[in-house]
Amino acid sequence: LRNGFPEVVLGQGKQPEQVAAIVCRLAEHSDKVLVTRVDQAMADIVCTEMPDVVYKSLPRLLVLDRSKPIEKIPGILVVTAGTADMPVAEEAAVTAELMNNSVERMYDVGVAGIHRLLGQVENLWRARVIIVVAGMDGALPSVIGGLVSVPVIAVPTSVGYGASFNGLAPLLTMLNSCAAGVGVVNIDNGFGAAVLASRINQSGQ
Amino acid sequence: LRNGFPEVVLGQGKQPEQVAAIVCRLAEHSDKVLVTRVDQAMADIVCTEMPDVVYKSLPRLLVLDRSKPIEKIPGILVVTAGTADMPVAEEAAVTAELMNNSVERMYDVGVAGIHRLLGQVENLWRARVIIVVAGMDGALPSVIGGLVSVPVIAVPTSVGYGASFNGLAPLLTMLNSCAAGVGVVNIDNGFGAAVLASRINQSGQ
Amino acid sequence: LRNGFPEVVLGQGKQPEQVAAIVCRLAEHSDKVLVTRVDQAMADIVCTEMPDVVYKSLPRLLVLDRSKPIEKIPGILVVTAGTADMPVAEEAAVTAELMNNSVERMYDVGVAGIHRLLGQVENLWRARVIIVVAGMDGALPSVIGGLVSVPVIAVPTSVGYGASFNGLAPLLTMLNSCAAGVGVVNIDNGFGAAVLASRINQSGQ
Amino acid sequence: LRNGFPEVVLGQGKQPEQVAAIVCRLAEHSDKVLVTRVDQAMADIVCTEMPDVVYKSLPRLLVLDRSKPIEKIPGILVVTAGTADMPVAEEAAVTAELMNNSVERMYDVGVAGIHRLLGQVENLWRARVIIVVAGMDGALPSVIGGLVSVPVIAVPTSVGYGASFNGLAPLLTMLNSCAAGVGVVNIDNGFGAAVLASRINQSGQ
Amino acid sequence: LRNGFPEVVLGQGKQPEQVAAIVCRLAEHSDKVLVTRVDQAMADIVCTEMPDVVYKSLPRLLVLDRSKPIEKIPGILVVTAGTADMPVAEEAAVTAELMNNSVERMYDVGVAGIHRLLGQVENLWRARVIIVVAGMDGALPSVIGGLVSVPVIAVPTSVGYGASFNGLAPLLTMLNSCAAGVGVVNIDNGFGAAVLASRINQSGQ
Amino acid sequence: LRNGFPEVVLGQGKQPEQVAAIVCRLAEHSDKVLVTRVDQAMADIVCTEMPDVVYKSLPRLLVLDRSKPIEKIPGILVVTAGTADMPVAEEAAVTAELMNNSVERMYDVGVAGIHRLLGQVENLWRARVIIVVAGMDGALPSVIGGLVSVPVIAVPTSVGYGASFNGLAPLLTMLNSCAAGVGVVNIDNGFGAAVLASRINQSGQ
Amino acid sequence: LRNGFPEVVLGQGKQPEQVAAIVCRLAEHSDKVLVTRVDQAMADIVCTEMPDVVYKSLPRLLVLDRSKPIEKIPGILVVTAGTADMPVAEEAAVTAELMNNSVERMYDVGVAGIHRLLGQVENLWRARVIIVVAGMDGALPSVIGGLVSVPVIAVPTSVGYGASFNGLAPLLTMLNSCAAGVGVVNIDNGFGAAVLASRINQSGQ
Amino acid sequence: LRNGFPEVVLGQGKQPEQVAAIVCRLAEHSDKVLVTRVDQAMADIVCTEMPDVVYKSLPRLLVLDRSKPIEKIPGILVVTAGTADMPVAEEAAVTAELMNNSVERMYDVGVAGIHRLLGQVENLWRARVIIVVAGMDGALPSVIGGLVSVPVIAVPTSVGYGASFNGLAPLLTMLNSCAAGVGVVNIDNGFGAAVLASRINQSGQ
Ligand SMILES: Nc1ncnc2c1ncn2[C@@H]1O[C@H](COP(=O)(O)O)[C@@H](O)[C@H]1O
Ligand SMILES: Nc1ncnc2c1ncn2[C@@H]1O[C@H](COP(=O)(O)O)[C@@H](O)[C@H]1O
Ligand SMILES: Nc1ncnc2c1ncn2[C@@H]1O[C@H](COP(=O)(O)O)[C@@H](O)[C@H]1O
Ligand SMILES: Nc1ncnc2c1ncn2[C@@H]1O[C@H](COP(=O)(O)O)[C@@H](O)[C@H]1O
Ligand SMILES: [Mg+2]
Ligand SMILES: [Mg+2]
Ligand SMILES: [Mg+2]
Ligand SMILES: [Mg+2]
Ligand SMILES: [Mg+2]
Ligand SMILES: [Mg+2]
Ligand SMILES: [Mg+2]
Ligand SMILES: [Mg+2]
């Protein structure tokens, strides 16, 4: 629809050949194609067929970008509680960049070492919208939500074990955030957070 | 903190006298006070103590507003699937209005009668941010998310019975929305949706 | 029992040799045998033993059909929200066909792009019973249930991740459908949906 | 839409005056109005306003029927496991009757006394569609599904205690029925079962 | 403790060498040793060390029995709903036999074909205690509980998919059995059912 | 069916008049009638109609017993962890007595004061079957199961709060008992435990 | 057992007269008796019988303390996230005081206004053990656990609504705390937290 | 922060090379580094890079300890219910030792053979803090909590199957312990239990 918005395919649960075919077809009408949740084996097959597709292994994304470079719109900040949350955070960051936003990153500032976050609070205040990615206790969005007055998008991750129940624990934490103004997306859904953040960041443009 | 933002008290689980005292104290420093989840009995006691506090019975809100009238910022649309979702929708709408936004309403346009929604799609396109309130199947945000390119805030409600499990069903539906760009808040949390919508609507101002 | 109804074996959780033996035995008394939830390895072993058994890899079905061609009864439509729902949809379609129904298909018409469905609404109106297959938010049966006056059978799928909880999310959505007249079957149970649809479609014959 | 189909209101969660007003308004355009999940207090208020509205206390239904008597279409059988399931069963039966179906009843034939059911199996065989209502273990639809070749609609009820978890236990039982051809509706949803049964029963008419 | 009762080891979650060592040690003081939940790889290692240990692959049991043959006590009947429930049923049967009970078997008599069970009801009446093994809907113990006046031990199995939630569905069914006199053990716990049945069967001896 | 076995009615969810009528009818053919889960209001109405019906308020049972006194069969012991478990324990004990068993009681011997139980271990050893009633952690059956070699019936109760989730916690504890030979019934189901215990106790008679 | 440790009764689920009798009996052997989870009606009856029993209405405790005043052991700090968590916090504080600890309080310092907590961090550092009471997101223990090196006891409360699921959300948060050294007790269990804190505080004395 | 406290890395979910790099970096500033949840493959890679790192395969820990030997502080006892709980228990014990505590062990004393525990009760009484590790029914902390007056830390494990739901059953048991003074950590979280125990054991030093 909108300029800057890539065609998006959910790679998980599809055959590599099927994905390669879909990407080829989409590339005829769109100068940007994004495939999410792609493992190395699928990436190898698609990239062989389409050599200008790039695989980002950390966020497990396949990116085709034939668009002309334009100036990106600043305003999105992606924050993580731990280093293990980085794959989801990068899924969000790369998706948002592909939608013509420039993205700041602030990683590994979880609440168990609150000084790490407080030492960079000025960076929080520069953002127009903040994506907060956290697993385990999922407590970070509540703290950040209280420090800023811009929209906060909370992304629970499946990082953790036992009673994290694959991300259920941080999901519930975030839905019950004692800081108002927090919107929550699905567990590990960096992609969805980025689309929402981009809509907010480009709102009124 | 921010101009236009009321002090907010969660009424539920507090004693009426306790709430009256808190409102009195807050009113000394703030020209707007909001109390959420207030029943008629609590409202009666607080309004006796503070005659310029107004009780809105549908959204169960107590509102004190001594601020000077200023021009509201347009852009927020509140949509419901059914008429039973109106209390939550009004909690959102009144809260957003108190935060200096003007609010449009589009009620009872659930997906089982899709023509009701499609007949008003132009109204969807005028909004800068849309709050969608739905119980039971919680399907409405997925349809609206596909019709617009602005941020959508989904509010699941406890309207329903049996396997709705007090709002769990629409909550899960919304978290799994096949339309990207949807942020979810807690079950029945019209207040939280309004804060997020207001932050988005006033973003960049 | 009934003419046109195949003997059905649940392949999952059985040894390939065990399935081969059961198929052989059933084939002595029945001209149609169906095995569901069969992977390629099991299929290879069974097909080696019984060369006229056919393996359909997308719906993971083994089909033995030695019956005389008869005219199929029209009336069943199978609809999916996404392309990833196709294996379950095909399990339903192939099963229904084996039960002497002719089956129409309408795939990838999920609610996030509602125009895709509305553009084919005439096809919905031609059906006597509609099977709707959807994962993630599971919203499609609610929309279709409001557009038609025939029975709708909803099949939740395990397509999705995170808070879809392997199909729990669309299952709950469908049980809480705001459109009345929707019957739900187990997650990924295309087979069961087809049996129910066939009973409805052949009702009164 | 369709002749014979009443306008339907969910009474639960609405104010009695609100319901009275809705019924009045609907009665202007429709000769049949149905309100479900109505307690005695609400019924008294509505019946005072609208003297030709009838309250059925067992199924907790308000019925307005000004239609001309026509011949009902036979074919629907409603079965219960216990006597405590009768309110839900009657919600189904009365709704189906209002939709111009004639309805047979077979109550208190739960599987713990299997001879009660087997002694009336001829009645099962006369039906064109069977609604089976059961709480606690929810086992009855599996037995009936194996005895007939017509569609079975299973309605779990909240009858039971402890690990029935308000109807979750029979709901799961029914979704996992080892008899194919069973469609399930929400817990205690006699109304929805009737709509589906009526669509099946009048299919092809 | 008691004569006839083997030493029992839970194989699952242990190293094969660890299990071999434990069996060796136990065999010094006991003429019977049983290891449950053993896969083929573990069995091979243990049987190499202890050549008179026997592996039963269907119930995944390792059995060492150096006891003198004595007359078994009749009275235990093991029943299954489907063929896929046989591994759990055999775990129960072999365990009970090792405890000096003779065991009858009645397999694949699930409630969706109720005549299969009713045709053998005399065999039910000969038992002193009945173990009923069922997955999916778990309905069989309710029917059997109503046909006999001896204790019934219900064993839910993880056979099934989707909303069976790995055996949760039949577990809840059995706990809510509308037939009184049914005791339930853990999902797939054929071993525990056998111990309970043996205690009942040998009660008073 | 069997001599000594009363006709049993589940009082909960029925109208008092309905129960009175059912008891009257049953009393024509049976010299014993039992109604479970009866509150004082229902009891008053039934006892007015049927003066020889006795209400036991602790276990909330209505008992009609016109049978000739016979010698009771000893062997059943009912044990509780706490005093709050006594209503469920008495439901079991009174039911078992009505079925012609004599019943021993050992109350308030929970595992947090293990000496209380160990001081009476001889009483455990005299029983032929033991019913163990416990809420909260539900740990008592595991300890008792290790001390005896007779069948143990575990009854979880809804005594507790918070993460006991109305009896789910002790239910799961009991299903996972590390002592084999424990059969579990529904939460608060003293009645069901008694029927099972009576069948075991009278087994072989 | 230990000096300073009161006899404790769980009031909830008992009859007032029963509680009065238990308190009387315990008071014969102990100079301290504590009853938890007591409502006003129960308190009135007990206090009439035992005039030196004191009712604390906020924590809903009945306290009998006839012990000689001794010097309390300092070291326990009780912290809450919100004012609505105060009843549970006071249950902990009063219990700990009765066990001869002196208790500091720091209330309403939830993470959404992190400066409130950070402004009093010196008070955190003075404690030997900290009880942290929080509902909704339950995030506070994670922040405090990172600021101190003493044991932290986390108490989830049922304060909240919707997806807090009566305290499940903060319970899971606390179990998954990204700060190590946090022990969790049951939802709303201020009493249990106090016993644990007292054991820690008096450890080595 | 504190002397004796190692730097800790969660190995699970990271790449081996990533872990090796983190360990190298941490070793520059700390004389102790601990990595938890490490499999053999990751251990091999890290140990090749850092030859003085030691891999403990049972608790799956990587340990670097270049500190000078100092006298350990006695007081921590680690207890398990079964042998299958030993990996979690050793994770706790090794972690606590690395934090300068000396640790006693008492393994395989589960409640189904209560004499095993009671025979060693003197060892319980010597401890200053006790870590109790148990899966399946998780009953052991309730018994131990009643035998001692020191703090008890309960660690549920994922040992078990079926209705243990990967450790949920013992987790709930422990949260509902009828013995007060028990703090619970996450499922399989031996590490967290050790940190809490060490804080308690070194409290006041
Ligand atoms: N990681 C993801 N999470 C959620 N939705 C996604 C993801 N990746 C793609 N999608 C959505 O899924 C749709 C594509 O699904 P499909 O047609 O099955 O490839 C797109 O419209 C996206 O909005
Ligand atoms: N309905 C509501 N839902 C969620 N949070 C609320 C609600 N009403 C008030 N709050 C928040 O709760 C805080 C006040 O809590 P309290 O101090 O307990 O009155 C405010 O900062 C609000 O952000
Ligand atoms: N995919 C499926 N889902 C649900 N039920 C099935 C499926 N495939 C076969 N069945 C049923 O399972 C029964 C066969 O089970 P079995 O005897 O174990 O092969 C048949 O009567 C079918 O009705
Ligand atoms: N407390 C109870 N728990 C479980 N089942 C019960 C209980 N009381 C009665 N029943 C059973 O419910 C059946 C009667 O149900 P109803 O016909 O509804 O009165 C009897 O056959 C009993 O076996
Ligand atoms: Mg980190
Ligand atoms: Mg409506
Ligand atoms: Mg698609
Ligand atoms: Mg009955
Ligand atoms: Mg079969
Ligand atoms: Mg007690
Ligand atoms: Mg506050
Ligand atoms: Mg052991």
Side-chain angles (χ1 to χ4, degrees), chain D residues 81-84 108-110 116, chain F residues 8 14:
Chain D
T83 54
D108 200 24
V109 294
R116 293 179 296 181
Chain F
V8 187
K14 298 207 173 74

Side-chain angles (χ1 to χ4, degrees), chain H residues 2-200:
Chain H
R2 238 152 146 268
N3 199 8
F5 196 100
E7 299 282 338
V8 186
V9 182
L10 177 65
Q12 167 185 305
K14 298 210 174 73
Q15 296 304 315
E17 294 73 19
Q18 209 180 347
V19 170
I22 295 174
V23 173
C24 284
R25 183 163 43 75
L26 292 176
E28 289 167 25
H29 305 289
S30 170
D31 58 2
K32 291 180 183 177
V33 179
L34 179 66
V35 192
T36 64
R37 303 191 149 241
V38 177
D39 59 24
Q40 186 69 53
M42 181 182 282
D44 290 345
I45 290 172
V46 177
C47 292
T48 305
E49 300 260 327
M50 306 271 294
D52 57 347
V53 167
V54 175
Y55 182 58
K56 316 243 172 181
S57 63
L58 184 62
R60 304 200 308 139
L61 293 172
L62 277 176
V63 180
L64 175 76
D65 187 356
R66 296 168 174 165
S67 68
K68 276 184 260 154
I70 65 160
E71 207 179 339
K72 309 261 175 181
I73 300 158
I76 297 180
L77 172 66
V78 180
V79 184
T80 75
T83 53
D85 301 314
M86 281 175 54
V88 175
E90 283 299 307
E91 185 185 282
V94 172
T95 299
E97 286 166 346
L98 205 62
M99 290 175 184
N100 290 337
N101 304 281
S102 71
V103 175
E104 299 287 311
R105 286 153 171 91
M106 189 192 296
Y107 289 170
D108 201 24
V109 293
V111 304
I114 195 75
H115 55 280
R116 293 179 298 180
L117 179 70
L118 297 178
Q120 309 180 55
V121 79
E122 312 260 314
N123 292 338
L124 292 178
W125 289 339
R126 267 201 301 273
R128 193 168 159 190
V129 52
I130 304 177
I131 295 172
V132 186
V133 184
M136 298 177 75
D137 56 23
L140 189 55
S142 294
V143 175
I144 290 180
L147 291 170
V148 302
S149 58
V150 296
V152 170
I153 302 169
V155 191
T157 70
S158 53
V159 169
Y161 59 89
S164 88
F165 297 125
N166 303 312
L168 178 64
L171 171 62
L172 294 183
T173 309
M174 291 166 178
L175 288 167
N176 287 284
S177 177
C178 53
V182 176
V184 184
V185 298
N186 195 4
I187 298 162
D188 291 333
N189 189 6
F191 164 72
V195 175
L196 179 53
S198 181
R199 288 185 176 197
I200 293 171

Side-chain angles (χ1 to χ4, degrees), chain E residues 23-191:
Chain E
V23 173
C24 283
R25 183 162 43 75
L26 292 175
E28 290 167 23
H29 305 288
S30 170
D31 58 2
K32 291 180 183 176
V33 178
L34 179 66
V35 192
T36 64
R37 303 190 149 241
V38 177
D39 60 22
Q40 187 69 53
M42 180 182 282
D44 290 344
I45 290 172
V46 177
C47 291
T48 305
E49 300 260 328
M50 306 271 295
D52 57 348
V53 167
V54 175
Y55 182 57
K56 315 243 171 181
S57 63
L58 184 62
R60 305 201 306 139
L61 294 172
L62 278 176
V63 180
L64 175 76
D65 187 356
R66 295 169 175 164
S67 69
K68 275 184 260 154
I70 64 160
E71 206 180 340
K72 309 262 174 179
I73 300 157
I76 297 180
L77 173 66
V78 180
V79 183
T80 75
T83 53
D85 301 314
M86 281 175 54
V88 175
E90 283 298 307
E91 184 184 283
V94 172
T95 300
E97 286 166 346
L98 205 62
M99 290 174 183
N100 290 337
N101 304 281
S102 71
V103 175
E104 300 288 312
R105 286 150 170 93
M106 188 192 296
Y107 288 171
D108 200 25
V109 294
V111 303
I114 195 75
H115 55 279
R116 293 180 296 182
L117 178 71
L118 297 178
Q120 308 180 55
V121 78
E122 313 259 313
N123 292 337
L124 292 178
W125 290 338
R126 268 202 300 274
R128 194 168 157 188
V129 52
I130 304 177
I131 295 171
V132 185
V133 184
M136 297 177 78
D137 56 23
L140 189 55
S142 293
V143 175
I144 290 180
L147 291 169
V148 302
S149 58
V150 295
V152 171
I153 302 169
V155 190
T157 70
S158 53
V159 169
Y161 58 89
S164 88
F165 297 125
N166 303 312
L168 178 64
L171 171 62
L172 294 183
T173 309
M174 290 167 178
L175 288 167
N176 287 284
S177 177
C178 55
V182 175
V184 184
V185 297
N186 195 6
I187 298 163
D188 291 333
N189 189 6
F191 164 72

